[in-house]
Amino acid sequence: MEMRMRASEDIEIGEDITPAIPALCFCLNDSFVSSHCSSCFSPLPSHHSSSSNPFHLLYCSPPSSCSLSSSTSSAAADSHLLLLLHSRPSLYPHGDSSDLRLALRLLHHSAPPPLSLSRDRIAGLLTNRHKLMTREASDDDEFVARIRSGARAMAAARRMRDGLDDVSCCDHAASEYDAVLEEEATALCLVITNAVEVQDKSGRTLGLALFCPSFCWINHSCSPNACYRTLLCTDPQTAPSSSVQGKKPLRISPYSCGCGDEDNQIAGVVCSNESHCYCGPRIIVRSIKRITKGEEVTVAYTDLLQPKAVRQSELWSRYRFICCCRRCSASPLTYVDRALEELSVASLDSLSSNISFDTDKATEKLTEYIEDAIADYLSSDDPVSCCKRLEHVLAQGLSDEQLECKEGNSQATYRLHPLHHLSLNAYTTLQSAYKTRTSDLLPLCPERDEHLVEAFNMSRSSVAYALMLAGATHHLFHFETSLIASVANFWISAGESLLTFARSSVWNEFVGWGLPVLNLSSITAHKCPKCLLVDKFRTIQLDSQVQYADFEDTRRKFLVCVTGFTHEVWSFLVNSCCYLRSFKDPIDFSWSANSKFSSFLEIDARSSSTDMHGCEVEEDSDSGKIRIYMFQLGMHCLLYGGYLASICFGGHSSLTCHVQNIVDGE
């Protein structure tokens, strides 16, 4: 039986669908247990977090509501599990134990049998045990082994909590497993299926939480009409007396594909299992499209900027279902999914899309090459090597000899579409790697020398890739509006990069007369009379309703403004990057929707052999104008990203407030 949630009324874009829903249970990740309150997730003072027992859970100083609301029994099980895994690491060699500790808390707080409706659900939440524990013979056994070893560790921790010295359940053979550890395994399967990561304002994941069926019965779609965000109790929106949240009812209701009495019994859990704990995290669901009354409300369980095959693989691996949403069922593939996986093969003498090649194998080898370059950068912090490798594969592709994709003597080169999901990953990494390289070089630049020139070139390459990423994903957003959350983040990142570069003091080393310091203390100083983004951003921050027609008009006017500013600065930004010089405009990808990208490859093949970072910095009077245009472009990107973020997460979300603080110069 499949449970779903549908709209109880018509809902416009950018509206809260639920109030702030409290968590049923929650826990910190292992790495934050000794530094954060286990109830409210707030960081603790250093002197408070120093404990004689590193396996004890910590809380805000008593007599706070955090320490008073904690359960001695569930906290003891947590501590015993941490101690057990520390003394016997081989018991659960699968990393962080937060999912195990969350499952222990669920067992402590949930109604014991026979009050539970069935072993398929606990507190109304689907356990998914029959799918997760019955893996096909062709599947890797590691997933099932993780559940089984986790269940054994959980059972041992419960026995230690209850004062029983015998923890022999840790050593049960697989044949005895189901009868002895079924309860623990079922709870762990539920956590794997339903748990949500809880993040702080910086986007760092602090822990996990389980929420009631009002949220967990919202199903997945690769073209969802809603998104969600978690809140900590330090957020004013989470307060039970909040006037903002007090006016926002639950605007969705449950229904099932079945029609029996059990369906109605389970549906009643939505109203009966709400938590009354105000210390832990909460979650809010918000519309990102217009939703009509009776329409199913859906969210995304996976990254929507991945092609269909990757999304399906991830969903099957974790949840054991095949998505049949509108986007996945489209035949032929939607334009977005075609672009996210498109490759081109070129022979040595000519370009052709008719050369036969193994697309899956080519994609696999290209993925390995790019992921290896990214992994090297993340592990060794070597941005130079990473940039060279990524720009090589973007600009020149890889030969069939390198990829081992083709037999015979004919030579061919395989290249990624500029909108391919691997290209997008490469842009993200290149933005970060060039920024890191700039930070490494600047301390070596006491005066104008080759290090300063290189740092300046690296900095503008980082900005160029940020703008390229924002423009590319915004083009895909035009065809698939459910990408709005990702696009908001990319525009904000591009805006921050542009503003930081425009305000950098390094400019003064190259431009003798410099740039007058602009007033950043007042948002009105940056108001554009054409797109009025400042006013739009201010209005939506007040949680005013967004009409779809107004949303489309704002998007259209923004593109007009940002395209004009980009034309003024793009050639300057990409001067030292041959791959990006192949693009006349990082905003307009309309050519890719109407034709193959062979013309792009022809241009790129002629330019990719030159040195990528040997260009000198231009010194002329236009540099001052370029810097001003860059500042104005950055403000537009930042405000538009904040506008989209307000639609996704609300005007008081941490991301929207982050944008507001930058714009106001605080």
Side-chain angles (χ1 to χ4, degrees):
M1 176 186 55
E2 180 184 358
M3 303 304 298
R4 303 179 180 181
M5 299 298 285
R6 57 186 172 188
S8 305
E9 58 186 87
D10 291 339
I11 301 172
E12 267 292 343
I13 182 174
E15 293 185 356
D16 285 351
I17 298 176
T18 69
I21 301 172
L24 294 174
C25 49
F26 47 90
C27 72
L28 288 166
N29 286 346
D30 291 357
S31 57
F32 295 106
V33 167
S34 60
S35 60
H36 286 63
C37 173
S38 286
S39 185
C40 71
F41 285 17
S42 297
L44 298 172
S46 56
H47 68 276
H48 189 99
S49 59
S50 57
S51 171
S52 57
N53 188 339
F55 308 109
H56 280 171
L57 303 187
L58 303 177
Y59 299 93
C60 295
S61 299
S64 69
S65 58
C66 294
S67 57
L68 295 175
S69 65
S70 63
S71 166
T72 303
S73 179
S74 63
D78 270 33
S79 298
H80 284 303
L81 180 63
L82 290 169
L83 176 61
L84 182 65
L85 296 183
H86 177 74
S87 60
R88 298 181 60 177
S90 61
L91 182 60
Y92 186 73
H94 305 287
D96 191 276
S97 69
S98 55
D99 50 354
L100 276 61
R101 291 185 285 111
L102 185 60
L104 285 174
R105 292 188 171 217
L106 174 69
L107 290 174
H108 176 78
H109 291 291
S110 62
L115 296 180
S116 296
L117 297 174
S118 71
R119 92 170 184 174
D120 291 335
R121 293 184 182 273
I122 299 176
L125 305 185
L126 183 69
T127 66
N128 218 22
R129 183 183 185 278
H130 63 292
K131 291 184 178 180
L132 296 181
M133 293 296 292
T134 337
R135 315 284 282 194
E136 279 78 359
S138 60
D139 283 348
D140 193 342
D141 291 334
E142 183 179 351
F143 191 87
V144 175
R146 172 191 166 196
I147 296 176
R148 290 184 171 179
S149 59
R152 284 192 286 270
M154 289 167 58
R158 296 176 81 184
R159 291 181 64 81
M160 291 173 65
R161 177 200 62 191
D162 296 337
L164 302 174
D165 295 331
D166 178 20
V167 292
S168 58
C169 58
C170 294
D171 305 311
H172 278 299
S175 59
E176 305 174 71
Y177 168 80
D178 285 336
V180 177
L181 304 172
E182 179 177 348
E183 187 177 26
E184 287 83 1
T186 300
L188 185 53
C189 287
L190 183 149
V191 167
I192 292 172
T193 301
N194 296 279
V196 175
E197 291 184 344
V198 179
Q199 299 178 333
D200 61 12
K201 291 183 178 181
S202 67
R204 179 179 55 173
T205 299
L206 298 178
L208 298 174
L210 285 172
F211 296 92
C212 69
S214 298
F215 171 75
C216 286
W217 285 357
I218 299 177
N219 287 326
H220 164 82
S221 171
C222 295
S223 182
N225 52 23
C227 66
Y228 61 87
R229 78 178 191 275
T230 55
L231 306 168
L232 299 178
C233 66
T234 51
D235 190 312
Q237 285 184 280
T238 63
S241 60
S242 170
S243 59
V244 175
Q245 285 301 324
K247 298 177 181 178
K248 295 181 179 178
L250 187 69
R251 303 169 71 185
I252 51 178
S253 57
Y255 74 104
S256 71
C257 298
C259 57
D261 292 339
E262 186 181 10
D263 301 347
N264 297 327
Q265 185 183 12
I266 291 179
V269 177
V270 169
C271 299
S272 62
N273 261 312
E274 298 289 351
S275 168
H276 297 288
C277 175
Y278 298 115
C279 291
R282 297 191 170 206
I283 199 164
I284 293 178
V285 181
R286 192 169 172 88
S287 62
I288 56 174
K289 299 177 182 176
R290 287 185 295 184
I291 306 174
T292 59
K293 181 179 180 179
E295 181 181 351
E296 182 178 7
V297 174
T298 55
V299 296
Y301 294 1
T302 190
D303 182 1
L304 300 179
L305 277 172
Q306 298 182 117
K308 176 182 175 180
V310 177
R311 299 195 309 271
Q312 295 281 16
S313 176
E314 289 189 357
L315 292 170
W316 179 257
S317 177
R318 176 165 181 177
Y319 303 105
R320 308 302 284 178
F321 74 84
I322 297 174
C323 181
C324 299
C325 69
R326 173 194 62 79
R327 181 178 170 188
C328 289
S329 302
S331 182
L333 289 176
T334 64
Y335 165 71
V336 171
D337 280 333
R338 289 200 312 273
L340 288 172
E341 68 178 25
E342 187 173 355
L343 300 177
S344 179
V345 57
S347 68
L348 185 63
D349 300 320
S350 63
L351 292 164
S352 173
S353 59
N354 298 321
I355 301 176
S356 61
F357 65 101
D358 188 336
T359 304
D360 291 340
K361 189 171 183 179
T363 301
E364 178 185 351
K365 294 296 183 179
L366 285 163
T367 301
E368 289 178 1
Y369 182 92
I370 289 178
E371 289 183 348
D372 183 58
I374 295 175
D376 280 350
Y377 164 57
L378 296 177
S379 60
S380 63
D381 197 23
D382 182 8
V384 177
S385 173
C386 175
C387 291
K388 288 181 178 179
R389 294 176 65 185
L390 290 181
E391 290 189 323
H392 170 81
V393 72
L394 288 173
Q396 301 182 34
L398 295 178
S399 67
D400 50 6
E401 182 179 356
Q402 291 172 292
L403 297 177
E404 303 174 358
C405 292
K406 195 168 176 287
E407 298 181 355
N409 296 324
S410 61
Q411 296 183 6
T413 299
Y414 302 86
R415 289 182 175 139
L416 299 167
H417 191 289
L419 298 176
H420 194 285
H421 75 104
L422 293 176
S423 298
L424 302 181
N425 291 344
Y427 303 156
T428 304
T429 305
L430 285 164
Q431 176 194 355
S432 172
Y434 276 126
K435 183 178 180 180
T436 300
R437 181 58 177 159
T438 302
S439 300
D440 293 341
L441 287 172
L442 284 177
L444 306 176
C445 308
E447 56 187 28
R448 182 173 177 179
D449 58 14
E450 68 275 9
H451 290 306
L452 188 58
V453 173
E454 185 180 0
F456 192 83
N457 285 333
M458 294 285 183
S459 184
R460 57 177 168 177
S461 292
S462 175
V463 174
Y465 276 110
L467 190 57
M468 178 73 173
L469 183 60
T473 53
H474 194 271
H475 171 73
L476 298 176
F477 172 53
H478 177 75
F479 297 90
E480 179 54 72
T481 57
S482 59
L483 299 175
I484 184 172
S486 297
V487 174
N489 278 284
F490 292 139
W491 279 121
I492 291 172
S493 178
E496 288 188 78
S497 297
L498 284 158
L499 291 175
T500 300
F501 185 49
R503 292 183 297 210
S504 173
S505 60
V506 178
W507 284 80
N508 296 326
E509 299 294 332
F510 301 103
V511 184
W513 52 271
L515 175 70
V517 177
L518 299 179
N519 179 19
L520 300 181
S521 62
S522 173
I523 192 172
T524 57
H526 318 299
K527 183 178 292 187
C528 174
K530 296 180 180 179
C531 62
L532 298 176
L533 267 176
V534 170
D535 295 336
K536 300 290 185 183
F537 180 61
R538 286 288 200 194
T539 300
I540 199 170
Q541 272 195 300
L542 299 175
D543 278 343
S544 298
Q545 182 171 308
V546 179
Q547 296 295 332
Y548 185 76
D550 184 62
F551 167 65
E552 286 294 316
D553 183 63
T554 299
R555 181 165 63 167
R556 179 183 58 81
K557 290 180 178 178
F558 163 75
L559 281 177
V560 172
C561 288
V562 79
T563 299
F565 288 125
T566 300
H567 285 165
E568 300 292 342
V569 305
W570 181 246
S571 61
F572 173 81
L573 289 175
V574 302
N575 181 269
S576 57
C577 183
C578 293
Y579 171 71
L580 292 183
R581 285 208 304 268
S582 300
F583 298 90
K584 294 181 180 179
D585 185 345
I587 307 299
D588 183 10
F589 283 83
S590 58
W591 55 268
S592 66
N594 302 318
S595 63
K596 293 285 184 180
F597 59 106
S598 58
S599 59
F600 163 78
L601 293 176
E602 289 173 342
I603 298 171
D604 182 63
R606 298 189 183 98
S607 62
S608 60
S609 61
T610 59
D611 178 40
M612 290 193 173
H613 296 290
C615 303
E616 288 291 331
V617 178
E618 309 79 9
E619 295 189 45
D620 54 53
S621 58
D622 287 338
S623 297
K625 295 180 180 179
I626 288 173
R627 194 176 179 189
I628 295 175
Y629 286 136
M630 205 174 305
F631 183 86
Q632 293 172 325
L633 176 60
M635 290 302 303
H636 276 74
C637 294
L638 191 69
L639 285 167
Y640 183 66
Y643 174 80
L644 296 181
S646 295
I647 291 175
C648 295
F649 309 118
H652 302 288
S653 68
S654 58
L655 187 58
T656 308
C657 292
H658 173 66
V659 172
Q660 182 65 65
N661 290 338
I662 296 175
V663 172
D664 286 345
E666 296 178 357

